[in-house]
């Protein structure tokens, strides 16, 4: 029998790309970005130990560490915003019901 055409695998790929392009969808790439920068940092440190353009490797290592710190800061801020949105929607619902008088049933 013939292999499955590529057409059947495209929708899964397209939904992943569509999820990334939605507002806030790029947050799914944080683990990949963190892994890429960590790999860069390891390679830069190894090249610095091997005495290849040592001053450049120091600069690149400091930039990589700064990128990792900024990604961690961004992820923490994102999680804080998401948790505050969840709390504010539930607390605003509680405030809306607290100010109302109970319905009369007679």
């Amino acid at each position: 029998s013939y292999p499955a055409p590529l057409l059947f695998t495209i929708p899964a790929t397209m939904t992943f790309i569509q999820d990334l392009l939605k507002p806030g969808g790029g947050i799914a790439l944080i683990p990949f970005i963190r892994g890429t920068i960590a790999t860069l940092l390891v390679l830069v440190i190894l090249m610095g130990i091997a005495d290849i353009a040592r001053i450049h490797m120091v600069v690149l290592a400091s930039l990589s560490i700064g990128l990792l710190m900024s990604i961690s800061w961004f992820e923490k801020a994102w999680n804080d915003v998401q948790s505050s949105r969840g709390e504010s929607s539930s607390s605003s619902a509680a405030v809306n019901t607290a100010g109302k008088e109970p319905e009369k049933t007679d």
Side-chain angles (χ1 to χ4, degrees):
S1 144
Y2 294 105
L6 184 60
L7 183 62
F8 293 114
T9 59
I10 290 176
T13 306
M14 290 306 293
T15 57
F16 177 71
I17 292 173
Q18 287 173 348
D19 289 343
L20 287 179
L21 295 178
K22 288 181 184 175
I27 200 78
L29 291 176
I30 285 184
F32 174 74
I33 294 169
R34 185 177 285 138
T36 303
I37 295 172
T39 303
L40 172 69
L41 183 60
V42 168
L43 290 174
V44 164
I45 289 171
L46 289 175
M47 289 176 67
I49 291 171
D51 202 23
I52 299 173
R54 186 168 288 202
I55 187 66
H56 294 89
M57 296 306 124
V58 169
V59 171
L60 283 173
S62 62
L63 289 173
S64 297
I65 291 170
L67 278 171
L68 285 172
M69 289 172 45
S70 66
I71 287 174
S72 296
W73 171 79
F74 173 76
E75 189 174 23
K76 181 185 177 304
W78 176 266
N79 290 336
D80 290 346
V81 167
Q82 292 301 330
S83 65
S84 69
R85 281 185 181 174
E87 290 172 5
S88 68
S89 65
S90 63
S91 65
S92 66
V95 168
N96 289 339
T97 59
K100 294 181 180 177
E101 294 183 8
E103 294 181 3
K104 296 183 180 182
T105 56
D106 35 291

